[in-house]
Amino acid sequence: MTFTGDYNAYFRAQLNRLKTENRYRHFVELERVVGRHPVALRHHDGGTQEVTVWCSNDYLGMGHHPEVIAAMRAAAADSGTGAGGTRNISGTSHALVALEEELAALHNKDCALTFTSGYVANEASLSALVAQLPGTLILSDAMNHASIISGIKLARTEKAIFRHNDVAHLEQLLAEQPKDRPKIIVFESVYSMDGDTSPIAEIAALARHYNALTYLDEVHAVGMYGDQGGGIAAMRGLDHEIDIIQGTLGKAFGASGGYIAASDVICDTVRSNGSGFIFTTALPPAVAAAAHAAVAHLRADNSRRAAQQRQAERLKTAARAAGIPILEGDTHIVPVMVGDAAATMRICQLLLAEHGIYVQPINYPTVPRGTERLRLTPGPFHTDEMVDQLVTALQSVMDQVSDEGAQATVAE
């Protein structure tokens, strides 16, 4: 469409294009209810409907944990609701300092640094580190998250993309570079759309051999894996092999915010040079206190992790038995492959309207065209009955949508 001077008309046409391609994002109004996770209330047309949520990133239900809620209430009562500004202007709250000490201990690092989100943590950290290392080459996995891609763009440096989890391709790219050139290998431990994990040991070994820093995004793994919830690197005994671990407080820890854990000097470099840290209002003490309580609890108690892994395996087993096309992986994320944007949208609509099951469609550009899917995240509070209900509903709805598609084809 050519811009004719009417801004609203132009934007409306772009939005209509998204709707035509079944890529328009519809928001469902949900009210989480403490004590009932993963059940929530859906508000629609002046009424409410109880739904079971199957796509939450509050993987362990820690956002509803009594200790976490109590910590937030106490901190808000003591310190108020806001941070008062950036940390260099308004001062660093004691709650944030305590949280960062807990996160550093979780990852066996000297230091941790918090941000307002995991997205900002990636943007600010990558761009700040590269700014201090002129001529840096960033080597990035082809499946890395949008926040990593954004951080690389902000870094304004040369990048090389290696094929997903392809260690041989990564080594080929590294071998082409002078050993004394600054290099940062950026990858994730759990890739959230496919539910697979990265070859951390092999990548760390290459980094040592070719003198590169390692930057590991563990946002979908922190709290979830390892004896204390340190993530996949910790579970495999490799956290000491990684230079920078990046995580989130908004998923398994049930709060909000992001962080990095690294050496003192790396954290200080980001603290002193990262625009996304320096010029952004800090996390409020109440949020920091809630996150701290969640991290401390999950470091000491493995029961939610164990229950979550048990229910994830139960769902995978039931889905396979029912012939539901899941993408096999070794994590808690269960992708159901559909392969068509319109069908994916229709499946989600039917699950919600007819079965009280809330799942969001995952379409392009989050995943490549032709790989559209549902992304299921079973948790410790999804009961066996809920798993069975989901699988039965999926079978029914996917068959219905397939029949509708066949009928539409015949009609054409």
Side-chain angles (χ1 to χ4, degrees):
M1 176 181 176
T2 303
F3 177 62
T4 60
D6 187 333
Y7 291 96
N8 284 333
Y10 184 83
F11 292 140
R12 189 176 296 109
Q14 299 300 321
L15 290 171
N16 287 337
R17 179 175 58 84
L18 291 179
K19 293 175 182 178
T20 300
E21 296 174 0
N22 293 290
R23 295 196 294 120
Y24 184 76
R25 298 178 188 271
H26 296 272
F27 291 95
V28 176
E29 184 181 349
L30 295 183
E31 180 182 352
R32 286 154 53 89
V33 182
V34 171
R36 300 208 61 200
H37 180 82
V39 174
L41 292 179
R42 175 195 176 204
H43 292 264
H44 66 107
D45 300 327
T48 59
Q49 172 195 16
E50 280 197 358
V51 299
T52 303
V53 179
W54 276 98
C55 54
S56 174
N57 283 344
D58 188 356
Y59 293 133
L60 300 177
M62 290 303 294
H64 293 231
H65 196 288
E67 293 175 14
V68 177
I69 295 171
M72 176 174 274
R73 283 177 172 160
D78 290 343
S79 302
T81 58
T86 64
R87 290 172 72 170
N88 61 311
I89 288 177
S90 297
T92 291
S93 71
H94 173 69
L96 266 184
V97 173
L99 170 60
E100 289 173 343
E101 289 174 351
E102 189 77 30
L103 291 168
L106 172 67
H107 294 294
N108 295 308
K109 299 298 183 190
D110 297 335
C111 179
L113 192 68
T114 55
F115 302 81
T116 51
S117 71
Y119 198 107
V120 173
N122 276 334
E123 281 192 334
S125 300
L126 288 169
S127 59
L129 291 170
V130 169
Q132 302 307 304
L133 284 170
T136 296
L137 173 69
I138 293 182
L139 299 108
S140 178
D141 187 287
M143 293 284 286
N144 276 342
H145 187 262
S147 59
I148 293 174
I149 295 169
S150 181
I152 293 170
K153 287 179 180 178
L154 287 174
R156 298 179 182 176
T157 194
E158 185 181 354
K159 69 178 185 295
I161 308 301
F162 60 93
R163 291 185 291 270
H164 178 53
N165 281 347
D166 191 331
V167 177
H169 188 213
L170 173 59
E171 181 165 23
Q172 176 189 333
L173 295 171
L174 286 165
E176 294 170 355
Q177 300 300 319
K179 197 152 189 175
D180 61 352
R181 182 180 187 182
K183 297 173 283 291
I184 304 176
I185 303 171
V186 187
F187 61 115
E188 301 180 34
S189 63
V190 174
Y191 289 89
S192 64
M193 290 301 115
D194 286 358
D196 59 337
T197 59
S198 59
I200 298 173
E202 293 87 343
I203 291 175
L206 286 179
R208 289 194 304 273
H209 183 73
Y210 290 99
N211 192 32
L213 283 175
T214 46
Y215 186 106
L216 178 62
D217 180 316
E218 289 246 42
V219 296
H220 291 279
V222 292
M224 303 291 292
Y225 301 95
D227 290 341
Q228 298 184 26
I232 299 292
M235 182 180 73
R236 296 177 182 171
L238 297 168
D239 46 358
H240 63 288
E241 300 279 356
I242 302 299
D243 296 300
I244 303 140
I245 293 175
Q246 183 264 344
T248 183
L249 303 167
K251 292 184 171 62
F253 295 130
S256 181
Y259 65 90
I260 60 168
S263 67
D264 282 329
V265 70
I266 286 178
C267 285
D268 202 10
T269 297
V270 175
R271 184 187 72 86
S272 300
N273 298 280
S275 293
F277 175 85
I278 295 170
F279 300 108
T280 302
T281 298
L283 288 178
V287 175
H292 188 181
V295 175
H297 179 89
L298 290 175
R299 288 187 68 197
D301 187 340
N302 195 46
S303 61
R304 292 197 180 204
R305 279 190 290 278
Q308 184 276 328
Q309 290 165 15
R310 182 173 62 250
Q311 293 309 88
E313 190 53 45
R314 193 179 194 284
L315 173 58
K316 291 176 185 180
T317 300
R320 292 186 199 104
I324 294 170
I326 63 171
L327 194 61
E328 296 291 348
D330 54 353
T331 69
H332 59 285
I333 294 168
V334 185
V336 176
M337 305 306 292
V338 179
D340 178 83
T344 305
M345 184 80 71
R346 177 69 172 149
I347 288 168
C348 292
Q349 290 170 345
L350 290 171
L351 285 173
L352 184 62
E354 298 183 4
H355 299 276
I357 290 172
Y358 174 70
V359 183
Q360 272 292 78
I362 306 296
N363 293 332
Y364 177 85
T366 306
V367 295
R369 296 182 194 274
T371 69
E372 293 84 1
R373 66 198 68 181
L374 314 181
R375 177 184 174 273
L376 307 177
T377 55
F381 298 103
H382 284 105
T383 64
D384 291 352
E385 182 183 10
M386 288 176 178
V387 172
D388 294 341
Q389 289 171 345
L390 171 66
V391 170
T392 300
L394 270 173
Q395 256 188 319
S396 172
V397 166
M398 293 182 79
D399 286 346
Q400 179 180 340
V401 172
S402 178
D403 291 343
E404 289 174 355
Q407 291 170 8
T409 301
V410 170
E412 291 173 358

